[in-house]
Amino acid sequence: MTEAESEHRGIAPNRLGEAELLRELENIHRSRHDTLLHGSASALAAHTTRMAELEEEYLRRHPERRASAGRTRAGARARSESDQEPE
């Protein structure tokens, strides 16, 4: 990657403060759908790369983050089973 390409993608995730990293993640997730639907192939590829870099940095900083029960396979199964129970 050239220096110009690197600058275009923004600050390296490991150089962002915690608040800045979270703000970048919120912004990139918010813009994902629009990029998917209306961006060029190269814009989508750049978006995917940047999003992965930001997410990897977040996970590196927070390896012990807690997953919500509803966001696990077991939680999804429990939700699915309760949806199927008759009233």
Side-chain angles (χ1 to χ4, degrees):
M1 165 183 354
T2 68
E3 187 174 327
E5 289 170 330
S6 179
E7 286 179 18
H8 179 69
R9 289 206 335 243
I11 299 170
N14 65 346
R15 296 184 59 208
L16 294 169
E18 188 68 15
E20 292 141 336
L21 177 61
L22 291 173
R23 188 171 42 252
E24 287 284 323
L25 282 165
E26 289 171 5
N27 287 337
I28 203 158
H29 287 124
R30 190 178 304 117
S31 65
R32 182 64 178 178
H33 188 72
D34 191 53
T35 304
L36 174 65
L37 294 179
H38 306 293
S40 65
S42 62
L44 183 59
H47 197 278
T48 300
T49 299
R50 179 65 173 172
M51 187 170 63
E53 291 170 348
L54 293 167
E55 289 174 347
E56 288 169 10
E57 179 61 20
Y58 180 84
L59 293 173
R60 185 190 68 76
R61 292 183 192 187
H62 304 280
E64 301 299 324
R65 68 184 177 75
R66 297 182 70 182
S68 299
R71 302 297 293 186
T72 64
R73 286 183 184 175
R77 278 191 220 103
R79 204 173 40 250
S80 178
E81 290 169 6
S82 70
D83 290 345
Q84 296 175 9
E85 291 179 6
E87 292 182 20

